Amino acid sequence: MARIGIFFGTNSGTTRKIAKQIKKRFDDETMAEPVNINKVSAEDLLAYDFLIVGTPTLGDGQLPGLAAECDEESWEEALESLQGTSFAGKTIAIYGLGDQETYAHEFVDGMILLYDFFKGAGAKIVGAWPTDGYNFDISQAVVNDQFVGLALDQEIQPELTAERLDGWLKLIAPEFGLPL
Ligand SMILES: Cc1cc2nc3c(=O)[nH]c(=O)nc-3n(C[C@H](O)[C@H](O)[C@H](O)COP(=O)(O)O)c2cc1C
């Protein structure tokens, strides 16, 4: 079984595409195929000591899910069903998609909801990312002057994504024992 699990939520598929781009960089022993968070149970997540979790921000600075008018259940419902599950001993890195122009006052806010949840559940969160190179007004996902995970913007800055992914994966490599 692969050492690292990668799980995403999505409404229109972009966050899934990014998960696939991350997985493409690693062999099957290192990383499992990306799985939609609406298809898994707590056991599926707990099978891994190392996890990458991805989410877009939708609605009004929300996680994807029915409350954010997504077609399907997603992170919102998954976190509800994971309430009370311990992630102690797990190392988790977060990536988040957003749009810094249209949603400049709530850019990638969804990441903080994953951060608070998994940190609160005992996980070690890694992969904080600098805010340099982004142009937004406010983000709840900024803690101590850094995003709590990798912020990606496929609407405004898609050309920067590959480089950001490479830099971020290098950053988390020591924490994940990654061959980079
Ligand atoms: C209805 C709607 C609400 C959105 N709200 C936000 C937001 O609050 N903050 C943000 O940074 N991006 C927001 N976005 C941008 C999405 O996060 C972005 O388009 C993302 O790439 C979508 O990912 P997906 O294709 O995986 O669903 C919103 C997009 C839509 C369509």
Side-chain angles (χ1 to χ4, degrees), residues 10-15 56-61 97-99 103 106-108 155:
T10 186
N11 189 43
S12 48
T14 323
T15 311
T57 298
L58 293 168
D60 187 14
L97 275 73
D99 175 339
Y103 301 95
E106 50 193 8
F107 180 50
V108 295
E155 317 295 337

Side-chain angles (χ1 to χ4, degrees), residues 55-58 61-63 94-100 103-114 134 136 138-142 147-153:
T55 190
T57 298
L58 293 168
Q62 291 163 264
L63 288 172
I94 303 164
Y95 73 92
L97 275 73
D99 175 339
Q100 63 203 284
Y103 301 95
H105 58 295
E106 50 193 8
F107 180 50
V108 295
D109 275 9
M111 281 204 293
I112 196 69
L113 301 169
L114 294 188
Y134 302 84
F136 63 97
I138 304 171
S139 174
Q140 303 302 322
V142 174
F147 290 115
V148 295
L150 177 65
L152 296 172
D153 188 335

Side-chain angles (χ1 to χ4, degrees), residues 20-170:
K20 286 185 175 168
Q21 287 177 27
I22 294 172
K23 160 60 189 153
K24 246 198 253 165
R25 287 162 162 82
F26 302 99
D27 62 30
D28 292 340
E29 278 170 31
T30 306
M31 195 174 291
E33 289 298 328
V35 182
N36 193 317
I37 194 64
N38 66 15
K39 298 207 162 39
V40 305
S41 64
E43 289 68 39
D44 296 320
L45 294 171
L46 294 172
Y48 302 95
D49 286 338
F50 302 98
L51 294 153
I52 294 178
V53 294
T55 190
T57 298
L58 293 168
D60 187 14
Q62 291 163 264
L63 288 172
L66 300 179
E69 294 181 1
C70 296
D71 301 331
E72 300 182 326
E73 294 190 351
S74 189
W75 275 117
E76 185 72 40
E77 292 78 12
L79 294 192
E80 268 165 40
S81 69
L82 288 170
Q83 285 290 347
T85 303
S86 171
F87 283 84
K90 308 295 182 188
T91 301
I92 301 185
I94 303 164
Y95 73 92
L97 275 73
D99 175 339
Q100 63 203 284
E101 214 167 88
T102 313
Y103 301 95
H105 58 295
E106 50 193 8
F107 180 50
V108 295
D109 275 9
M111 281 204 293
I112 196 69
L113 301 169
L114 294 188
Y115 175 84
D116 285 344
F117 180 87
F118 287 111
K119 193 165 185 258
K124 177 183 183 187
I125 310 294
V126 299
W129 187 249
T131 57
D132 307 337
Y134 302 84
N135 188 12
F136 63 97
D137 296 328
I138 304 171
S139 174
Q140 303 302 322
V142 174
V143 173
N144 295 331
D145 295 329
Q146 291 200 307
F147 290 115
V148 295
L150 177 65
L152 296 172
D153 188 335
Q154 292 303 96
E155 317 295 337
I156 307 298
Q157 296 178 326
E159 72 284 358
L160 298 181
T161 293
E163 193 184 324
R164 283 174 173 162
L165 280 175
D166 289 338
W168 184 66
L169 290 166
K170 276 203 184 97

